[in-house]
Amino acid sequence: MEISTATTAFAALAQETRLAAFRLLVRAGPAGLPAGEIARALKTAPSTLSTHLGLLQRAGLVSSERRSRQIVYRADFAGAGALMRFLMKDCCKGHPAVRAAIGGEAA
């Protein structure tokens, strides 16, 4: 992951509603949640939520799929994993146990 991509992702998460939406989608798992359900759970106006989810999507942390009249959002676990690996890449001088714990290659 490039530093500019990581910066965009961290910026997207650095806002209370977006962080709450991302965490809600992580808990929902691969099935995701419809936009209306996310808005109700976070007590956020749908138009405001749409903006937040769009930022998370452009940051590679959320994906969406239209189902008839609904848009279902999911956490992008590959994107979130890449961000975590980027953050932990140089941790602890590449100690094998630490690298294995975050899903990276052992040094």
Side-chain angles (χ1 to χ4, degrees):
M1 174 177 278
E2 298 291 323
I3 196 162
S4 62
T5 305
T7 302
T8 300
F10 284 122
L13 292 171
Q15 196 280 341
E16 209 171 297
T17 301
R18 289 192 295 270
L19 181 58
F22 180 72
R23 294 184 71 204
L24 181 64
L25 290 170
V26 167
R27 286 191 299 274
L33 294 170
E37 194 172 323
I38 299 168
R40 282 188 294 280
L42 300 180
K43 297 180 175 122
T44 303
S47 60
T48 302
L49 180 67
S50 178
T51 300
H52 289 306
L53 291 170
L55 283 165
L56 289 167
Q57 192 164 9
R58 285 188 294 282
L61 298 170
V62 166
S63 66
S64 65
E65 173 188 0
R66 180 169 287 283
R67 287 192 193 155
S68 185
R69 295 178 62 194
Q70 290 185 327
I71 299 177
V72 175
Y73 288 89
R74 293 178 188 82
D76 184 327
F77 292 104
L83 182 61
M84 293 305 298
R85 286 188 298 279
F86 171 82
L87 187 62
M88 301 298 290
K89 181 180 176 185
D90 299 319
C91 176
C92 308
K93 298 182 182 178
H95 192 279
V98 175
R99 298 290 301 268
I102 61 169
E105 299 173 11

